[in-house]
Amino acid sequence: MNDSFGLLMVMMQPPATMEEEFNAWYDTEHLPERAVLPGFLSARRFVCVDGYPRYMALYDLDSEAALSSSAYIAISGERFSPWTRRVTSRMPVYRVAATQAYPGNEVSLPTARLVLIKIRRGPDEQALISSLRAALDGRSDVRQCRLFCSSEAPGDFFVMLGLSGPWPSLPDFVDKIAAQAQLAFVNTYAPYDPSK
């Protein structure tokens, strides 16, 4: 597990009156300053098309240690910029640090849709990986499947499915996973497009 990639996932729901400023902040300050940090392998934004909250950002990390680096600490917490403090003080922020359990060291691929499934107190990691493999067997519409273990809540997992397009049979897949685990939520995202 030591050579497994990490993940930082952040979800936010800005008030409607602040959405324009929120996106300007994320696009011009917050995401760009993190995308260039040591250990940050990718930085992507998404918009929720089914579920909540509305916005999500994913940062693939070469390991979770990237979140302890001096470069990251220099722009985090008490060292947030005034704009970051202003924006984040006006909405709840759901932040998760996790380690990639399966396949271990993949960076997120560009996809038409991303399905995020949170599993609370799931089965053991290997049983969950076996269930995922069985549920995905023969599916050509899944470009990528990754499983992450939460660092803050051991026993909680996040499944991320990168899809080539809309997935009308998602409930069948979810039912198979739900038979093995307690699902907290299932959200579907589209890549964020600043022109829309």
Side-chain angles (χ1 to χ4, degrees), residues 36-42 60-63 66 69:
V36 298
L37 289 173
F40 278 61
L41 305 174
S42 72
D60 286 303
L61 312 171
D62 62 9
S63 78
S69 72

Side-chain angles (χ1 to χ4, degrees), residues 54 121 159:
R54 180 162 169 72
R121 306 292 175 212
V159 177

Side-chain angles (χ1 to χ4, degrees), residues 154-178:
D156 284 4
F157 295 93
F158 294 88
V159 177
M160 291 188 186
L161 303 173
L163 310 180
S164 56
W167 193 5
S169 60
L170 178 61
D172 295 338
F173 174 83
V174 172
D175 287 346
K176 289 179 182 176
I177 298 304

Side-chain angles (χ1 to χ4, degrees), residues 79-162:
R79 295 179 177 90
F80 277 153
S81 73
W83 200 9
T84 297
R85 281 196 298 276
R86 172 184 153 68
V87 170
T88 59
S89 69
R90 287 166 170 76
M91 68 196 75
V93 177
Y94 180 68
R95 180 186 183 278
V96 173
T99 297
Q100 192 176 147
Y102 175 81
N105 58 357
E106 281 191 8
V107 175
S108 63
L109 298 174
T111 57
R113 290 287 185 269
L114 179 76
V115 175
L116 173 65
I117 303 169
K118 180 178 181 183
I119 298 170
R120 182 171 288 125
R121 306 292 175 212
D124 71 69
E125 189 176 301
Q126 290 308 312
L128 189 51
I129 290 169
S130 295
S131 296
L132 286 171
R133 286 180 173 157
L136 291 170
D137 188 38
R139 297 205 70 121
S140 60
D141 47 1
V142 179
R143 293 195 65 213
Q144 186 174 43
C145 174
R146 300 188 300 161
L147 175 68
F148 294 89
C149 302
S150 170
S151 300
E152 290 92 1
D156 284 4
F157 295 93
F158 294 88
V159 177
M160 291 188 186
L161 303 173

Side-chain angles (χ1 to χ4, degrees), residues 1-64:
M1 200 69 138
N2 291 342
D3 57 353
S4 295
F5 285 174
L7 180 79
L8 174 61
M9 175 174 65
V10 183
M11 292 189 263
M12 297 184 200
Q13 177 77 38
T17 56
M18 199 177 178
E19 196 156 2
E20 187 175 331
E21 180 184 4
F22 171 81
N23 285 316
W25 162 74
Y26 231 115
D27 292 342
T28 63
E29 180 183 282
H30 200 69
L31 194 86
E33 74 181 359
R34 279 149 181 75
V36 298
L37 289 173
F40 278 61
L41 305 174
S42 72
R44 299 181 193 275
R45 289 190 66 199
F46 297 87
V47 178
C48 198
V49 295
D50 185 17
Y52 177 90
R54 180 162 169 72
Y55 293 100
M56 177 174 70
L58 295 179
Y59 305 91
D60 286 303
L61 312 171
D62 62 9
S63 78
E64 278 194 67

